[in-house]
Amino acid sequence: MDLIKLLHLPVMASSHGHELDFMIFLVHLLMIALFVGWGAFFLFTLVRFNKWANPKANYYGVKSHVSSYLEISVAVVETILLIGFSIPFWVKQVNALPDRPDKLEIKIIAEQYAWNIHYPGADQIFGKTDMKFYDKQSNPLGRDPSDPHGKDDVYSLNQLHLPLGKPVLIHLTSRDVMHSFALPVMRVKQDVIPGMSIPTWFTPTKTGSITRKELSEVAKDADTVWAKLVELGYIDAGGTLQTKARALEKFEDMELTDVSPKEKEDIYNFIQQYNFQIGCAQLCGIGHYKMKGFLTIEPEETFNAWIKSQEETSSSDSEGGDSFWN
Ligand SMILES: [Cu+2]
């Protein structure tokens, strides 16, 4: 069964994603069962306790203690579930970070309304940072210029690039208010709290490029839509979306006269689905809506080349990182 289609979920691109989708599915089943059960009980009470069945009010109500015992047992069972299963499971699954030497470690500092991304660079060691070095324009990470480890560090604004198939460990913190780091396609969502460094980790399993088959699953008239996307330059004929996010932006501004509204909707939905984004899932202020970043999953060589190109821009005084939205 295709849970993604059934539940209208976004594309899933991480190794743990199917477990989360399955849990969402189970929660839906449970909710359906509760809805049907309580709905039936409600209908039963409407009939059982209507005024024709009970012409005279009963001022004493229930005398047996069955309902109290039931409530106590529910509380006991829930306590056992919480202490016996949920908390140990949380400790094991969430706090146990991947102890893999090949993992990629990143720091992300959220602020109103952007994601500051800090890569350790070639030496895999983060340079020291301190608020006293911070400057919004020239040193957004607050890097200590005297620390040699920081020389090759890479700064990127709103552009998160990750290599395919490698575990990624991200340390999240905030410069101002609470945000929530959300990567829907990775099934990752973690609150970001000022004053705390919170780890989250996952392994990307899918690049953002689309195959013709995947397109035909989404669009009704795949050939027309595909040809249109190629013609308009959203996709190169080889089959990859050039820069998904940019394509989407261009698409939204564009007047597509020879595409029917239905086709346009199909293209839009399609690109939307493949537009890997970082969202902020916590209403964090008036500019919350624009606190989005871009996620690019690419093969390791492409990723390394990107890091290299960023290293160059980061070490020249410009402090690099392409600002896409601000
Ligand atoms: Cu935010």
Side-chain angles (χ1 to χ4, degrees):
M1 187 174 20
D2 190 350
L3 293 179
I4 292 178
K5 251 195 204 143
L6 183 73
L7 299 171
H8 294 269
L9 297 170
V11 167
M12 195 274 287
S14 68
S15 60
H16 72 279
H18 61 276
E19 290 170 51
L20 203 119
D21 289 354
F22 186 60
M23 192 188 73
I24 293 175
F25 174 66
L26 290 182
V27 169
H28 275 78
L29 287 188
L30 177 66
M31 288 302 126
I32 291 170
L34 284 177
F35 176 74
V36 170
W38 283 111
F41 179 70
F42 175 62
L43 292 177
F44 166 75
T45 56
L46 285 184
V47 176
R48 173 64 185 77
F49 301 104
N50 67 17
K51 73 172 180 180
W52 295 284
N54 306 274
K56 224 169 152 233
N58 175 352
Y59 294 107
Y60 302 100
V62 178
K63 291 219 180 67
S64 88
H65 291 289
V66 175
S67 59
S68 318
Y69 297 143
L70 272 178
E71 294 221 12
I72 292 168
S73 43
V74 167
V76 169
V77 169
E78 286 186 354
T79 310
I80 293 172
L81 283 179
L82 187 69
I83 295 172
F85 295 92
S86 304
I87 295 174
F89 183 77
W90 181 269
V91 169
K92 184 171 156 281
Q93 288 292 312
V94 183
N95 287 349
L97 304 173
D99 186 23
R100 286 183 43 178
D102 65 335
K103 71 174 181 282
L104 174 70
E105 222 166 332
I106 301 174
K107 289 181 181 175
I108 295 183
I109 303 139
E111 67 173 53
Q112 289 173 317
Y113 302 97
W115 303 98
N116 297 283
I117 301 160
H118 185 179
Y119 292 88
D123 65 357
Q124 296 296 312
I125 300 171
F126 292 99
K128 280 200 202 79
T129 56
D130 196 300
M131 268 318 269
K132 70 179 179 225
F133 300 112
Y134 170 77
D135 178 85
K136 195 171 172 60
Q137 291 306 322
S138 67
N139 193 351
L141 294 173
R143 290 198 295 217
D144 181 342
S146 66
D147 184 1
H149 291 305
K151 290 278 182 275
D152 63 350
D153 285 16
V154 165
Y155 168 68
S156 165
L157 180 66
N158 294 330
Q159 295 283 346
L160 177 60
H161 283 239
L162 298 174
L164 181 67
K166 218 177 175 187
V168 186
L169 173 59
I170 301 181
H171 302 276
L172 294 156
T173 190
S174 168
R175 184 166 287 151
D176 37 47
V177 299
M178 267 176 72
H179 300 275
S180 180
F181 177 74
L183 302 175
V185 296
M186 296 294 152
R187 303 295 191 268
V188 164
K189 191 177 281 171
Q190 173 60 57
D191 275 359
V192 183
I193 299 168
M196 287 178 83
S197 172
I198 302 175
T200 187
W201 65 277
F202 56 93
T203 306
T205 53
K206 201 172 195 295
T207 59
S209 54
I210 336 160
T211 64
R212 194 184 177 85
K213 187 175 155 283
E214 288 169 323
L215 179 73
S216 63
E217 280 166 12
V218 183
K220 288 275 172 299
D221 185 1
D223 286 331
T224 324
V225 173
W226 180 262
K228 208 74 233 166
L229 285 167
V230 173
E231 186 191 317
L232 294 168
Y234 298 126
I235 295 174
D236 63 44
T240 51
L241 251 186
Q242 282 158 345
T243 307
K244 302 167 295 294
R246 280 161 218 235
L248 177 65
E249 226 202 9
K250 215 163 74 186
F251 178 78
E252 279 179 294
D253 298 341
M254 215 147 179
E255 287 287 322
L256 298 177
T257 44
D258 53 343
V259 174
S260 75
K262 178 75 183 78
E263 282 169 1
K264 188 168 172 167
E265 204 189 310
D266 282 345
I267 302 179
Y268 182 79
N269 288 339
F270 181 70
I271 296 180
Q272 186 79 301
Q273 227 197 345
Y274 280 87
N275 177 27
F276 289 12
Q277 280 195 356
I278 311 173
C280 180
Q282 182 78 257
L283 184 55
C284 57
I286 200 152
H288 165 67
Y289 70 94
K290 67 165 189 170
M291 189 164 169
K292 57 179 172 182
F294 296 107
L295 171 65
T296 306
I297 308 299
E298 51 204 0
E300 200 160 353
E301 313 85 72
T302 323
F303 169 76
N304 290 337
W306 178 80
I307 283 282
K308 220 166 165 54
S309 69
Q310 294 299 109
E311 256 171 38
E312 276 143 30
T313 40
S314 289
S315 54
S316 69
D317 272 1
S318 67
E319 266 296 332
D322 38 339
S323 153
F324 201 67
W325 296 96
N326 301 305

